């Protein structure tokens, strides 16, 4: 009976075929992957460590010098613009401070003038009282 | 005449490793049934099985350099498929695992396999087994591996494999008609 059950289980658990679409999709995907790998290391066998960079290979083919040259034209312009902006902001700040200083000085003079008038009035009143 | 003989799977493996897409296609055709069936019977749905099969073969394409022979390839595919499936099942809830019973194409087609009682019992058993026990049963009866090879594939001891198999078969026999006489017969055989 045990052998019979073994045979029946093997029969029931025979591998089943996947849908043909899966096979086609698999081969298409693997073909693409394989071509990238082959381009990275032509004709040679490779292990898992080599395979991952193969996908990134097109990116690394961009010449590094071009990547470095690209910022050169705009970098001085950017720096100059930043400098101008900083100077402009600084100038505006200084002008504002100067205007505030002038206003404060004007207010101090006004206060001194008013105080002086009051003192004159007080002195005059004291003199008149001492005469009488 | 000798040159016209079709390449063996070992030769296709070498070609695939050298970047020949035909080599990889041959390997897919040779092994996809086993990988897909293991994934289907472990995970329970066609969609999950197809996803896992694709994942396994994509990983294979980057590991071809470390595969030494077709036998090694079979071992590697079984091992990766079962381990990935067990990991997926452990992340699922128990509710999701019962989908196995509902999956139509889980077992061999009715034209090939006409044993509805065993079909039903086997579906129920597969749905209730723990992921490692399910993998043991499938490797034993779908892939026809002996307990030593199953132990190597699943990273478990041979005794654990035998224990899983015994428990699974006992449970299965209990669900089949004439369970008691069959068990007695089995014991007298031993």
């Amino acid at each position: 009976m045990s052998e019979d059950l073994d045979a029946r289980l093997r029969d029931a658990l025979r591998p089943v075929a996947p849908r043909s679409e899966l096979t086609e999709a698999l081969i298409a995907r693997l073909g693409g992957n394989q071509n990238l790998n082959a381009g990275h290391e032509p004709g040679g066998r490779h292990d898992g460590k080599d395979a991952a960079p193969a996908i990134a290979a097109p990116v690394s083919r961009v010449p590094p010098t071009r990547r470095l040259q690209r910022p050169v034209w705009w970098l001085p312009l950017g720096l100059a613009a930043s400098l101008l902006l900083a100077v402009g902001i600084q100038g505006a700040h200084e002008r504002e401070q100067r205007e505030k200083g002038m206003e404060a000085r004007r207010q101090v003079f006004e206060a001194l003038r008013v105080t002086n008038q009051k003192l004159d009035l007080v002195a005059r009143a004291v003199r008149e009282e001492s005469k009488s | 005449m000798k040159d016209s003989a079709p390449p063996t799977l070992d030769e296709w493996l070498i070609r695939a490793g050298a970047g020949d897409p035909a080599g990889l296609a041959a390997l897919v055709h040779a092994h996809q049934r086993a990988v897909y069936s293991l994934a289907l019977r472990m995970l329970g749905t066609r969609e999950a099985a197809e996803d896992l099969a694709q994942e396994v073969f994509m990983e294979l394409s980057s590991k071809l350099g470390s595969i030494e022979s077709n036998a090694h390839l079979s071992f590697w595919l079984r091992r990766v498929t079962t381990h990935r499936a067990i990991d997926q099942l452990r992340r699922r809830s128990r509710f999701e695992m019962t989908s196995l019973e509902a999956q139509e194409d889980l077992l061999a087609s009715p034209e090939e396999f006409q044993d509805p009682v065993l079909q039903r019992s086997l579906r129920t058993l597969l749905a209730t087994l723990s992921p490692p026990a399910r993998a043991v049963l499938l490797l034993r009866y779908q892939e026809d591996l002996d307990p030593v090879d199953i132990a190597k594939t699943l990273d478990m001891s041979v005794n654990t494999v035998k224990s899983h198999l015994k428990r699974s078969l006992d449970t299965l026999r209990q669900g089949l008609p004439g369970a008691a006489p069959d068990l007695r017969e089995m014991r007298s055989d031993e």
Side-chain angles (χ1 to χ4, degrees):
Chain A
M1 173 61 195
S2 187
E3 284 177 10
D4 178 47
L5 183 61
D6 276 5
R8 288 163 70 193
L9 279 172
R10 282 195 185 90
D11 213 22
L13 291 173
R14 270 181 299 184
V16 291
R19 296 183 303 143
S20 59
E21 289 89 341
L22 174 69
T23 314
E24 287 160 15
L26 253 175
I27 290 170
R29 280 186 72 185
L30 288 170
N33 200 30
Q34 187 80 344
N35 287 339
L36 272 178
N37 290 346
H40 184 61
E41 193 178 310
R45 298 184 77 171
H46 45 269
D47 57 30
K49 285 176 185 169
D50 292 332
I55 295 167
V59 177
S60 65
R61 283 190 200 117
V62 176
T65 49
R66 252 188 104 172
R67 283 187 185 169
L68 290 172
Q69 280 170 359
R70 194 172 290 172
V72 166
W73 68 267
W74 60 261
L75 190 63
L77 283 179
L79 283 171
S82 303
L83 196 63
L84 279 173
L85 192 65
V87 167
I89 290 170
Q90 179 68 19
H93 181 68
E94 280 177 4
R95 194 163 49 249
E96 191 184 351
Q97 291 297 316
R98 198 163 46 242
E99 282 171 3
K100 280 182 181 172
M102 294 293 281
E103 176 64 18
R105 197 170 70 164
R106 194 187 61 75
Q107 285 177 0
V108 168
F109 282 140
E110 180 65 18
L112 285 172
R113 192 182 60 80
V114 170
T115 308
N116 197 30
Q117 282 177 351
K118 299 285 182 194
L119 283 173
D120 280 349
L121 286 172
V122 168
R124 202 177 300 157
V126 167
R127 266 200 307 272
E128 285 174 359
E129 193 147 334
S130 61
K131 277 180 189 173
S132 59
Chain B
M1 286 298 283
K2 207 174 181 180
D3 289 343
S4 64
T8 63
L9 283 173
D10 283 328
E11 287 165 342
W12 281 125
L13 179 64
I14 292 168
R15 285 195 194 185
D20 181 0
L24 257 179
L27 297 180
V28 168
H29 278 292
H31 293 283
Q32 64 174 349
R33 283 172 73 100
V35 170
Y36 172 75
S37 301
L38 269 179
L40 176 69
R41 288 161 181 166
M42 286 296 293
L43 299 175
T45 66
R46 186 190 294 161
E47 293 74 25
E50 288 181 348
D51 286 349
L52 180 55
Q54 291 205 42
E55 194 183 310
V56 170
F57 277 107
M58 289 307 289
E59 190 175 336
L60 170 67
S61 72
S62 64
K63 293 275 164 58
L64 279 168
S66 61
I67 305 288
E68 293 159 3
S69 64
N70 187 53
H72 184 195
L73 175 60
S74 297
F75 170 80
W76 187 91
L77 288 170
R78 287 182 194 122
R79 182 180 170 84
V80 173
T81 308
T82 48
H83 280 271
R84 291 276 169 86
I86 289 169
D87 288 345
Q88 281 193 34
L89 288 169
R90 280 179 175 153
R91 287 196 295 267
R92 287 189 194 177
S93 66
R94 290 185 69 82
F95 174 75
E96 285 176 296
M97 287 173 67
T98 56
S99 64
L100 268 174
E101 286 178 274
Q103 186 63 36
E104 284 299 318
D105 52 2
L106 194 65
L107 304 176
S109 67
E111 296 84 37
E112 296 170 331
F113 176 68
Q114 295 176 343
D115 195 339
V117 179
L118 182 62
Q119 279 239 15
R120 195 169 53 247
S121 302
L122 196 50
R123 274 173 190 281
T124 309
L125 176 71
L126 283 172
T128 51
L129 284 177
S130 69
R134 197 183 296 178
V136 167
L137 192 76
L138 292 174
L139 290 174
R140 179 76 186 101
Y141 292 105
Q142 180 194 300
E143 296 300 304
D144 208 15
L145 297 187
D146 61 32
V148 175
D149 288 334
I150 296 171
K152 282 180 193 162
T153 306
L154 296 176
D155 288 330
M156 56 175 69
S157 71
V158 177
N159 282 340
T160 308
V161 169
K162 287 179 176 173
S163 167
H164 277 310
L165 274 175
K166 186 180 180 311
R167 272 202 298 270
S168 299
L169 291 180
D170 286 349
T171 308
L172 190 62
R173 282 193 191 96
Q174 282 164 19
L176 295 175
D182 286 343
L183 283 172
R184 278 197 300 274
E185 187 183 334
M186 187 196 76
R187 286 194 195 99
S188 68
D189 286 347
E190 290 169 357

